[in-house]
Amino acid sequence: MIESPDRTPLPRGFFDRPVLEVAPDLLGRTLVRMTDDCLIELRLTEVEAYAGEADPGSHAFRGRTARTAVMFGRPGHAYVYFTHHTSRQSA
């Protein structure tokens, strides 16, 4: 039997921890967004963790820009970006 995902809203303090602690705790959580048209629910099955300005793999590595400003703000905001040229492949 598959357990239903935990839908308890997370307090900002949850995110005010090292990224390598937060990332695994997000797995299995559900993001919920209500729009004027519908309810959108997404279960997190994959996450990435970057150490901001200290991590060359992070978009924040080169400093604050209009696009990356959310990564320099208060904990609890999401930085979501589109990945170009990806494809779904099966083994």
Side-chain angles (χ1 to χ4, degrees):
M1 177 180 200
I2 298 174
E3 292 184 32
S4 61
D6 183 356
R7 296 183 53 169
T8 305
L10 299 172
R12 286 199 186 276
F14 172 91
F15 299 96
D16 197 9
R17 302 181 288 147
V19 295
L20 294 179
E21 292 177 18
V22 174
D25 289 347
L26 287 172
L27 289 172
R29 292 284 185 162
T30 303
L31 295 178
V32 179
R33 165 91 175 170
M34 175 60 92
T35 70
D36 290 337
D37 298 323
C38 66
L39 176 69
I40 302 168
E41 298 183 61
L42 302 170
R43 187 165 187 196
L44 295 176
T45 59
E46 181 179 345
V47 296
E48 295 182 7
Y50 297 97
E53 293 176 282
D55 187 340
S58 171
H59 287 170
F61 182 69
R62 301 208 187 281
R64 185 181 182 129
T65 66
R67 183 179 98 173
T68 64
V70 70
M71 291 191 280
F72 294 86
R74 292 175 46 201
H77 291 273
Y79 173 70
V80 180
Y81 61 94
F82 182 76
T83 303
H84 297 276
H85 308 293
T86 60
S87 62
R88 179 177 286 179
Q89 297 179 5
S90 307

